């Protein structure tokens, strides 16, 4: 009987190991995604980098039963843009729906708790060797009410001059 119990325990450990390992690998992504979800609400353009100094320029909304975060820039304006963030296994990924009509995808390469750094991971309606698009980005969680977003534009296969930095402050209720 003890051998049979030992065999069952060993089988259970072997079966559970991949699931436990995957859970451990996804913890940084889960923590980073929780930081994104905590951004829910309206954010003010602090220094005018978005052309809306002192006004709400960005809104974050959690949707899909908590599985996605939608970031809306310039809501209701002709150049409104949306970025959708979600987890993909042990990564946080995004798709940016640009006013330029392209949809670059990015995957987080850094999730250290204070920052998420994203790198280009394909896209739709663009050729990265020739077309202008957002190619990389970084979201810094300065504190609970301040965020700095840095985006790297790309044109003709290399970094472009269009690399905006947004300093945002949570709108107080």
């Amino acid at each position: 009987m003890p051998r049979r119990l030992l065999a069952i325990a060993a089988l259970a450990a072997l079966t559970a190991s991949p699931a436990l390992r995957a859970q451990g690998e996804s913890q940084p992504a889960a923590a980073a995604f929780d930081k994104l979800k905590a951004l829910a609400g309206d954010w003010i353009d602090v220094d005018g980098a978005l052309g809306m100094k002192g006004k709400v320029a960005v809104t974050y909304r959690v949707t899909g039963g908590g599985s996605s975060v939608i970031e809306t820039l310039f809501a209701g304006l002709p150049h409104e843009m949306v970025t959708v963030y979600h987890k993909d296994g042990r990564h946080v990924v995004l798709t940016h729906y640009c006013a330029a009509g392209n949809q670059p995808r990015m995957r987080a390469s850094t999730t250290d708790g204070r920052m998420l750094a994203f790198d280009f991971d394909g896209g739709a309606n663009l050729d990265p060797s020739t077309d202008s698009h957002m190619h990389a980005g970084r979201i810094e969680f300065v504190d609970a009410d301040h965020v700095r977003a840095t985006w790297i534009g790309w044109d003709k296969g290399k970094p472009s001059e269009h690399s905006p930095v947004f300093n945002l402050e949570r709108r107080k209720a």
Side-chain angles (χ1 to χ4, degrees), residues 54-68:
K55 297 178 183 173
V56 172
V58 180
T59 299
Y60 292 93
R61 184 170 61 90
V62 180
T63 189
S67 67
S68 301

Side-chain angles (χ1 to χ4, degrees), residues 46-113:
V46 174
D47 54 14
L50 292 164
M52 301 177 73
K53 186 173 184 173
K55 297 178 183 173
V56 172
V58 180
T59 299
Y60 292 93
R61 184 170 61 90
V62 180
T63 189
S67 67
S68 301
V69 174
I70 298 175
E71 171 190 75
T72 305
L73 281 79
F74 314 117
L77 298 175
H79 58 287
E80 176 178 301
M81 294 182 277
V82 172
T83 303
V84 179
Y85 302 86
H86 63 91
K87 287 189 307 177
D88 182 14
R90 59 188 185 98
H91 297 279
V92 176
V93 297
L94 69 80
T95 301
H96 174 65
Y97 297 87
C98 189
N102 58 42
Q103 298 83 35
R105 291 186 304 271
M106 298 180 210
R107 180 173 300 275
S109 57
T110 302
T111 54
D112 69 5

Side-chain angles (χ1 to χ4, degrees), residues 21 44 127:
R21 189 170 43 253
I44 296 168
D127 177 346

